[in-house]
Amino acid sequence: MHARAIKTGIEAICCVHWERRLFDSLVPLPDGTSYNAYLVRGEKATALIDSTDPDLRDELMNQLENLETLDYVVSQHSEQDHAGVLPDVLARFPSATLLCSEKASEMLATHLHVAPERIRVVADGEQIALGGKTLQFVYTPWVHWPETMCTYVPEAKCLFSCDFFGSHVATTDLFVTDQALVYEAAKRYYAEIMMPFRKVITRNLERLTALDFDMIAPSHGPIYDKPAFILDAYRDWVSPTMKNEVVLPYISMHGSTEMMVKHLIDALARQGVTVHAFDLAVTDIGKLAIALVDAATLIVGTPTVHIGPHPAVYYASHLANMLKPKVKYAAIIGSYGWSSKAIEQIAGLIPNLKVDVLGTVLQKGMPTNETYAQLDDLASAVAKAHADDASVVTK
Ligand code: FEO
């Protein structure tokens, strides 16, 4: 898309990837995505903040065609979707200097073969004067790679945050117009990309909010001209507070596990606990990740294949372990044909989750009245654990 002004002397070049449906061959993109680069024009110098994904190289380069000079290129994050076209930008503007963090200088050299002599490392807090505008760099490591940093332009009260606060949304909207849509996309983004770094994000959030800005310009999705909306959302997501919710990924082969899952869902609902159930045969893993942001309990439902859990449950358990949600309680239910090690194997897949196991219900064959009674007891144990835990909001 054409460059559009977001502040005096600052333009956004939003490269919208309408048709992309998968990121990193892993993350579903139901709404596509965008990669935003920003031109900051001072009286003496001009800077470009980030580039775009190599798939949309021409979208960015066409917008830079009529630019006479470019003095600086800021790389806030070395991942391909923002840094992949930096070599083209540096070739187009041979006198431009690439500004990045110390860690990024190594990564850009190894990942993209950027010549070291084109790179100038900037320190945390360092300022570069463009004339009437200043680039101030704020190191924000592990949001979500070790080298990530943000850029603040105090004269414009604008914070450029790269992936931080981003949302995978393909849109022509320059600014957030549909808060509900962006909230869902930003929460999905947080869940899939940022959640494993919740503690460090909390610290970075505090550092950034000490700055005086009225706009956040991320490198994915629309720009926040009312940043309180996304700052409040992030504060909520990273807070230790959990909701009175259960996330229940499951799969069933011949129906027995499904019968148990459906009974447990009903029992939990009768106890006032909200359940987010996901049939792993058809689910969007992004939705599962979103549900993990707030829930207090994870319950896994699996049949036994040979002697272990279904492979889809392996995958979901590994994913939950990687994402490190703030769940505090867990349980495992399911059925088996003749023998099973499913419980031990699932427990071994989630060492990162520091959970109290509230119960396991493993049934040989179809559930019986006794199985259903055990599931009722499990629902009561979940409701009680939530009610007794001051960090779980039950009202
Ligand atoms: Fe949008 Fe971590 O790249």
Side-chain angles (χ1 to χ4, degrees):
M1 299 190 69
H2 277 82
R4 290 175 287 176
I6 60 169
K7 291 262 187 182
T8 304
I10 302 179
E11 293 158 43
I13 305 172
C14 304
C15 301
V16 183
H17 212 160
W18 298 96
E19 62 278 13
R20 190 166 185 179
R21 285 294 172 270
L22 201 59
F23 195 87
D24 290 347
S25 301
L26 173 68
V27 174
L29 301 177
D31 304 311
T33 191
S34 67
Y35 323 102
N36 306 331
Y38 297 95
L39 262 181
V40 183
R41 298 175 196 264
E43 289 148 7
K44 295 181 186 150
T46 298
L48 178 74
I49 300 179
D50 291 323
S51 69
T52 190
D53 189 274
D55 280 357
L56 299 187
R57 175 193 176 280
D58 291 348
E59 288 228 9
L60 176 67
M61 297 311 291
N62 290 345
Q63 292 305 305
L64 301 178
E65 209 169 85
N66 296 324
L67 190 65
E68 281 179 18
T69 57
L70 185 64
D71 302 279
Y72 300 107
V73 184
V74 179
S75 178
Q76 303 187 108
H77 178 25
S78 308
E79 197 167 5
Q80 283 265 324
D81 53 326
H82 310 294
V85 180
L86 290 178
D88 302 83
V89 175
L90 292 172
R92 162 78 177 79
F93 298 99
S95 59
T97 300
L98 194 153
L99 307 173
C100 65
S101 68
E102 178 84 47
K103 273 256 184 271
S105 69
E106 302 160 27
M107 297 175 92
L108 292 168
T110 54
H111 292 34
L112 292 165
H113 295 177
V114 173
E117 58 269 24
R118 298 296 303 272
I119 297 176
R120 174 176 156 193
V121 169
V122 290
D124 183 27
E126 187 171 339
Q127 297 186 341
I128 301 265
L130 303 179
K133 285 196 178 58
T134 309
L135 302 176
Q136 180 178 322
F137 304 103
V138 186
Y139 276 25
T140 48
W142 295 108
V143 187
H144 61 115
W145 278 14
E147 89 299 6
T148 41
M149 68 175 192
C150 295
T151 308
Y152 173 54
V153 177
E155 296 86 349
K157 291 192 173 188
C158 190
L159 177 70
F160 299 91
S161 62
C162 200
D163 280 349
F164 209 176
F165 312 116
S167 61
H168 283 311
V169 184
T171 176
T172 52
D173 289 349
L174 190 54
F175 300 104
V176 174
T177 54
D178 183 338
Q179 280 202 352
L181 182 140
V182 176
Y183 180 91
E184 169 89 3
K187 190 171 186 180
R188 174 186 282 265
Y189 194 91
Y190 168 81
E192 293 165 335
I193 309 288
M194 299 290 177
M195 189 156 62
F197 312 104
R198 187 162 56 88
K199 290 193 176 142
V200 73
I201 286 173
T202 305
R203 289 198 293 277
N204 283 322
L205 201 49
E206 282 168 12
R207 286 200 72 201
L208 291 179
T209 50
L211 301 170
D212 179 20
F213 55 84
D214 61 17
M215 183 176 288
I216 297 177
S219 295
H220 293 292
I223 295 160
Y224 302 95
D225 54 353
K226 299 179 187 71
F229 151 64
I230 193 65
L231 292 171
D232 287 348
Y234 259 74
R235 285 189 192 105
D236 178 34
W237 299 335
V238 300
S239 80
T241 303
M242 291 167 288
K243 292 186 179 160
N244 183 24
E245 296 179 0
V246 165
V247 175
L248 207 173
Y250 73 96
I251 197 161
S252 191
M253 293 164 72
H254 302 294
S256 294
T257 299
E258 185 177 8
M259 291 164 74
M260 296 171 68
V261 165
K262 294 287 168 67
H263 185 93
L264 182 59
I265 291 171
D266 187 55
L268 286 163
R270 279 187 283 119
Q271 298 268 1
V273 179
T274 299
V275 184
H276 301 284
F278 299 93
D279 178 351
L280 295 171
V282 294
T283 202
D284 165 353
I285 59 161
K287 287 275 190 188
L288 172 59
I290 291 172
L292 285 168
V293 171
D294 302 314
T297 296
L298 171 68
I299 300 179
V300 176
T302 186
T304 293
V305 181
H306 298 175
I307 61 161
H310 189 285
V313 170
Y314 258 100
Y315 178 69
S317 303
H318 179 67
L319 187 73
N321 188 60
M322 275 174 52
L323 295 178
K324 297 184 188 170
K326 50 191 172 187
V327 287
K328 278 178 73 175
Y329 306 101
I332 301 167
I333 65 170
S335 68
Y336 64 97
W338 44 93
S339 69
S340 180
K341 297 277 186 204
I343 289 171
E344 299 90 317
Q345 291 189 12
I346 291 171
L349 289 168
I350 52 173
N352 289 341
L353 308 185
K354 307 300 177 206
V355 288
D356 291 340
V357 178
L358 297 176
T360 58
V361 182
L362 203 57
Q363 171 63 34
K364 187 171 186 175
M366 283 178 64
T368 63
N369 286 339
E370 191 183 335
T371 323
Y372 292 135
Q374 290 173 2
L375 292 167
D376 289 338
D377 289 346
L378 176 58
S380 298
V382 171
K384 182 171 185 329
H386 289 190
D388 291 348
D389 190 328
S391 58
V392 181
V393 179
T394 51
K395 289 185 184 138

